[in-house]
Amino acid sequence: MTKAMYIGLSPDYKYPGTFEKWFENNTRYASNHGACLISRAIGKEFNADYIDDFSNISELNRQYDVCFIALATHIHAYRDISYYVDVIEKLDMKVVAFSLGVEDYIGGMGEDYSLHPSVIRFLEVVSSKSKLIGVRGHYTASLLYRAGFSNVLAIGCPTVYSNQKPSLKINKTPEFESPLCVYQSSMAEHLPHLLKDPLILGQDFQDQVTFTNELDDDKTLKSAWDSYYDRVDPNRAVRHCIEERGTFPDTFETWDSIIGQHDFVYGPRLHANVAALLKGIPAVMFARDLRVREIAEFYDLPYITYDEAKKLSVQEIYQKVDFERFSETYEMRYQNFLYFLRQNEVEHSFEGDQESDFSVNGYDERITRYLSAQGLNKVGQTNLTHYKWKSRLARVSRILTQGRS
């Protein structure tokens, strides 16, 4: 029997206590309960052990046959994942990557794009240790094709398959009784009217500093987010909603349990919405960027843009969505995920493997034609001496300096 390990994002929420420590190597910290869902899905699906101690690589090579990598929006211009590349280069086993997506807040595929040198190196090493690389959707696949990687397959996110069953039905009733807003800070600026009545669920360390006083000693983080809310919420209406009905869970289990106590979930948090769907709860994603839209379109999930949401009430959002197409598309994507595992010769315990060939639907054909027709530029490595990189470091340096004062 194959023995599996996985590395990357932690299965437990872990913010190191200061923004400075987090910024030094943020990939090591699952400072977002949604990121924990990625790790936990991989651990569950392959009975894999989470490993974060790489002091004895030879012992890992002796104990394990395959290594899965729990990453997220790491197809990124500036995110350095050298720490993990250094590890997988030394592993004498199969290495499988399949949760990769485009970076947060990318606007569209027409933007100039580059990949951090460590991401390029990561893709090269994984390609040498397994047949195919799995990505969340066609936008991410297009970026990697343009970067010279042809061994890429759009298979979605492994979290969506973590029930390990070939079908997933959503139980939408005519009315809801207990809505839940899965909050992200951009809602304070753009969608405050959708925060007035429901429970508001925080998810990451940026919410933790706003919803609780647990990070008050993190002067850098607190100063940055106090300034943000002073700008977008000058009358404190949103902060009052958070004080009255906001909650930030200490553990992943509590976060997941809260989601399961509601009958309608909505908001910008990708994996909070996925956690609801896994329980059969209707969930509507707010696509504030290409990262969320890629997943929603890939699975035929109902989603709305911020511009659309500005004109709608929670009731109107609920009434306009249905999940029939999602349930149909899920069944095809599930079989494609199992195809990916077979191609990489990965043992699994998923139910209902039809051992079918890889399938495509009308959306796949349309988006492939669209991306092919765009004449998009080749994707290269980020030049770390380029002014954009220097500018980004300068902005972070200013935040750190302000936080210490």
Side-chain angles (χ1 to χ4, degrees), residues 32-49:
N32 179 321
H33 287 300
C36 300
L37 183 62
I38 299 172
S39 292
R40 286 169 179 256
I42 293 172
K44 174 186 175 183
E45 291 165 356
F46 303 101
N47 193 27
D49 299 330

Side-chain angles (χ1 to χ4, degrees), residues 115-372:
L115 297 177
H116 192 279
S118 67
V119 175
I120 297 286
R121 188 167 142 241
F122 169 83
L123 295 167
E124 290 171 345
V125 174
V126 172
S127 296
S128 72
K129 294 176 182 284
S130 58
K131 184 175 180 180
L132 294 172
I133 295 172
V135 297
R136 292 182 178 182
H138 297 287
Y139 297 105
T140 305
S142 175
L143 287 172
L144 298 194
Y145 292 152
R146 289 157 53 201
F149 295 92
S150 59
N151 59 327
V152 176
L153 208 57
I155 55 171
C157 181
T159 57
V160 180
Y161 312 116
S162 56
N163 286 348
Q164 297 180 270
K165 297 182 182 299
S167 63
L168 179 56
K169 303 298 182 185
I170 308 304
N171 306 312
K172 187 183 180 213
T173 57
E175 302 289 338
F176 61 84
E177 295 182 357
S178 180
L180 175 69
C181 174
V182 287
Y183 178 81
Q184 198 273 339
S185 58
S186 59
M187 292 187 75
E189 181 173 6
H190 300 290
L191 301 172
H193 71 290
L194 298 178
L195 303 172
K196 291 180 180 178
D197 298 314
L199 184 72
I200 304 169
L201 182 65
Q203 182 165 304
D204 67 8
F205 70 101
Q206 297 168 356
D207 296 334
Q208 185 180 7
V209 76
T210 304
F211 283 55
T212 76
N213 59 7
E214 296 164 354
L215 297 178
D216 282 359
D217 290 339
D218 187 348
K219 301 302 183 185
T220 301
L221 186 67
K222 184 163 178 55
S223 173
W225 286 99
D226 283 351
S227 296
Y228 169 78
Y229 281 99
D230 287 344
R231 177 175 64 82
V232 304
D233 182 37
N235 62 3
R236 299 191 63 86
V238 169
R239 282 173 283 189
H240 180 68
C241 290
I242 291 171
E243 289 163 5
E244 278 198 330
R245 286 171 284 98
T247 183
F248 185 85
D250 290 335
T251 66
F252 172 87
E253 288 82 3
T254 304
W255 173 83
D256 191 52
S257 174
I258 289 171
I259 292 171
Q261 295 166 21
H262 295 265
D263 58 1
F264 176 43
V265 173
Y266 67 89
R269 292 295 188 177
L270 171 59
H271 285 102
N273 281 289
V274 170
L277 294 168
L278 290 169
K279 299 171 178 35
I281 299 169
V284 177
M285 296 182 182
F286 289 7
R288 72 186 192 276
D289 57 16
L290 184 60
R291 177 186 63 96
V292 175
R293 198 173 86 231
E294 176 176 49
I295 285 285
E297 290 181 352
F298 188 78
Y299 287 106
D300 270 327
L301 276 166
Y303 75 92
I304 58 174
T305 66
Y306 269 34
D307 285 342
E308 291 169 329
K310 288 175 183 177
K311 305 167 188 174
L312 299 172
S313 67
V314 176
Q315 181 68 36
E316 288 168 332
I317 292 169
Y318 184 79
Q319 293 300 333
K320 74 178 299 197
V321 300
D322 73 71
F323 296 87
E324 185 174 339
R325 288 178 58 188
F326 162 71
S327 294
E328 293 174 359
T329 301
Y330 170 88
E331 293 180 8
M332 183 191 78
R333 301 300 190 203
Y334 179 90
Q335 294 299 330
N336 283 352
F337 182 65
L338 300 189
Y339 171 89
F340 169 85
L341 297 181
R342 290 196 306 274
Q343 290 297 304
N344 278 325
E345 299 179 338
V346 171
E347 291 184 10
H348 66 80
S349 57
F350 286 83
E351 296 181 12
D353 189 350
Q354 299 174 2
E355 298 193 6
S356 53
D357 290 334
F358 194 84
S359 301
V360 298
N361 60 15
Y363 167 75
D364 298 329
E365 294 170 350
R366 290 193 302 276
I367 195 65
T368 300
R369 285 197 301 270
Y370 166 77
L371 292 171
S372 299

Side-chain angles (χ1 to χ4, degrees), residues 5-8 14 28 49-61 63-64 83-84 87 91:
M5 59 179 266
Y6 70 104
I7 66 175
K14 185 168 63 173
R28 291 194 67 185
D49 299 330
Y50 179 68
I51 303 296
D52 194 31
D53 179 358
F54 308 118
S55 59
N56 192 341
I57 294 291
S58 60
E59 181 61 19
L60 294 177
N61 283 328
Q63 287 190 41
Y64 295 99
Y83 177 80
Y84 290 107
V87 171
L91 293 179

Side-chain angles (χ1 to χ4, degrees), residues 84-102:
Y84 290 107
V85 185
D86 291 342
V87 171
I88 63 174
E89 279 186 327
K90 299 170 186 173
L91 293 179
D92 184 21
M93 66 183 77
K94 187 187 301 293
V95 176
V96 181
F98 50 36
S99 59
L100 299 169
V102 293

